[in-house]
Amino acid sequence: MTTTNHRTMIGGQAVIEGVMMRGPQSTAMAVRRPGGEIHLETWENSSIRDRWPILGLPILRGVVSFVEMLVFGYKTLMTSAEISGMLEETDQEAVRADAASPSEQTDTAAAAKEDESDAPSSKGMTAVAGFSMVLGLLLAVGLFLVLPAVLVKYTSGVVHYGAFRSLAEGAVRLGLFVGYLALLSRMEDVKRLYGYHGAEHKTIYCYEHGDELTVENARRYTRLHPRCGTSFLLIVIIIGIVVSSFITWDNLAVRVLLKLLLLPLVVGVSYEIIKFAGRHDTGLMRAVLAPGLWLQKLTTREPDDSQLEVAIRSLQAVLTGNRADDAW
């Protein structure tokens, strides 16, 4: 196995029975169909930063990247659920129409028009999906921002000093986050998803070390990767604890509101930290990333060969043939 280590900016996420990879020019999603074959879709990359270069500045670029990946990641999850056969047949056409390119949407709409009375409305499905996403975000805010603040606020007889309260609040938030991931990791469907997460990491490691992208080669690498969304979220929580220590405890509603308003700043700073750490392999940076690697033991699982095969197909689809194009 070669020791050459090429740090790549290619990354992605696990989806239902598949892996999505985002490369320097395009994004690909490979999904295992119920019959066993691998379905591959690709898209040309686009970002609001292409139209507004100012959004590519430090801090701002992290916020934009986070929002874009959140939205796109949700769409790929919905699409992969349909491809893998998880969605009911009556829901599939509406989801595909929502996720398709403009030209594909025209063809889909024309074909669906004949069955308009029987098929569910694409706009209705989109609204339901959007509502589900917003509801999920609200629940996340309530669980990880509001609940810790409320719990600590009403233990003022135990914790008095503001900085200590912030540390206690951060500890509660971190405990909820780890507990939430631990509970998820016990669900059978999530175990399967985490296997694809592990396959994504192993495949990227294989590419970074210059080995041929084969199942046998990828299998030998660790499933824990420093430039992972799990590590990023952990850094967000830690930076949030630091920022929260400067926010008043006098009024709980004001505190929560200020934390929400400062969340983009926390996300942007966290993005710059993980980007810097990924480029500098020093003892300090490895220490910064180590807790995220430990946490990935909950969010990844050892993949089987069929999962590695899917991840490899997805990664191969976004490679340009020039390793310099995707250098971190």
Side-chain angles (χ1 to χ4, degrees):
M1 186 183 300
T2 178
T3 57
T4 302
N5 194 337
H6 164 70
R7 294 173 182 272
T8 181
M9 51 75 66
I10 296 174
Q13 72 173 52
V15 294
I16 307 300
E17 287 301 320
V19 173
M20 179 268 285
M21 293 280 191
R22 185 177 180 87
Q25 299 175 3
S26 62
T27 299
M29 181 179 67
V31 178
R32 181 79 66 179
R33 287 188 178 276
E37 68 274 16
I38 298 176
H39 174 87
L40 181 69
E41 292 191 19
T42 60
W43 303 268
E44 291 299 315
N45 289 344
S46 63
S47 171
I48 191 174
R49 288 182 294 178
D50 299 333
R51 299 190 298 274
W52 301 90
I54 192 174
L55 296 179
L57 293 176
I59 307 298
L60 291 177
R61 62 188 176 186
V63 178
V64 172
S65 296
F66 178 75
V67 173
E68 289 184 338
M69 285 304 296
L70 189 67
V71 174
F72 188 75
Y74 183 80
K75 288 184 177 180
T76 54
L77 273 173
M78 292 291 293
T79 303
S80 65
E82 179 264 315
I83 295 170
S84 66
M86 177 172 284
L87 290 184
E88 294 293 333
E89 185 175 347
T90 54
D91 294 337
Q92 292 178 2
E93 192 172 312
V95 173
R96 294 288 297 164
D98 182 40
S101 66
S103 60
E104 290 173 326
Q105 287 179 355
T106 301
D107 295 338
T108 303
K113 192 171 183 180
E114 299 175 4
D115 267 337
E116 201 169 346
S117 59
D118 299 326
S121 166
S122 175
K123 290 183 179 180
M125 286 296 296
T126 302
V128 170
F131 176 77
S132 299
M133 183 176 181
V134 171
L135 181 60
L137 290 174
L138 291 176
L139 289 174
V141 168
L143 182 62
F144 299 116
L145 283 183
V146 179
L147 181 59
V150 171
L151 291 176
V152 172
K153 174 69 172 179
Y154 292 104
T155 58
S156 56
V158 179
V159 183
H160 294 281
Y161 188 57
F164 292 152
R165 277 189 178 183
S166 296
L167 287 175
E169 179 192 34
V172 171
R173 187 185 309 147
L174 187 59
L176 288 172
F177 181 61
V178 174
Y180 175 74
L181 294 179
L183 286 175
L184 280 180
S185 68
R186 299 177 65 86
M187 299 172 61
E188 288 303 319
D189 289 343
V190 176
K191 288 179 182 179
R192 185 75 180 162
L193 185 71
Y194 285 175
Y196 279 106
H197 191 190
E200 176 213 337
H201 288 179
K202 283 174 172 281
T203 302
I204 290 177
Y205 258 132
C206 184
Y207 172 69
E208 288 183 320
H209 283 78
D211 284 341
E212 182 183 0
L213 289 174
T214 65
V215 170
E216 293 73 19
N217 287 338
R219 190 190 304 125
R220 290 179 288 178
Y221 287 96
T222 175
R223 72 180 197 267
L224 311 179
H225 199 287
R227 297 183 297 281
C228 169
T230 305
S231 299
F232 171 74
L233 289 176
L234 184 59
I235 292 176
V236 167
I237 291 176
I238 294 171
I239 298 300
I241 294 173
V242 175
V243 172
S244 296
S245 65
F246 297 97
I247 300 176
T248 179
W249 277 96
D250 293 340
N251 187 303
L252 188 60
V254 171
R255 178 174 175 81
V256 172
L257 179 60
L258 288 175
K259 287 168 63 177
L260 283 173
L261 292 175
L262 290 171
L263 187 57
L265 175 63
V266 171
V267 169
V269 171
S270 301
Y271 177 87
E272 299 302 327
I273 290 174
I274 201 167
K275 193 174 184 68
F276 182 87
R279 287 179 172 175
H280 300 82
D281 188 15
T282 66
L284 176 60
M285 291 300 100
R286 285 195 294 272
V288 169
L289 296 175
L293 293 176
W294 302 334
L295 199 57
Q296 286 176 43
K297 293 182 179 180
L298 289 177
T299 63
T300 64
R301 294 180 68 87
E302 285 297 326
D304 58 36
D305 288 354
S306 67
Q307 291 173 314
L308 288 169
E309 183 184 7
V310 170
I312 289 171
R313 284 286 299 277
S314 185
L315 177 56
Q316 288 173 330
V318 302
L319 298 179
T320 64
N322 182 2
R323 290 166 71 85
D325 290 343
D326 59 74
W328 180 270

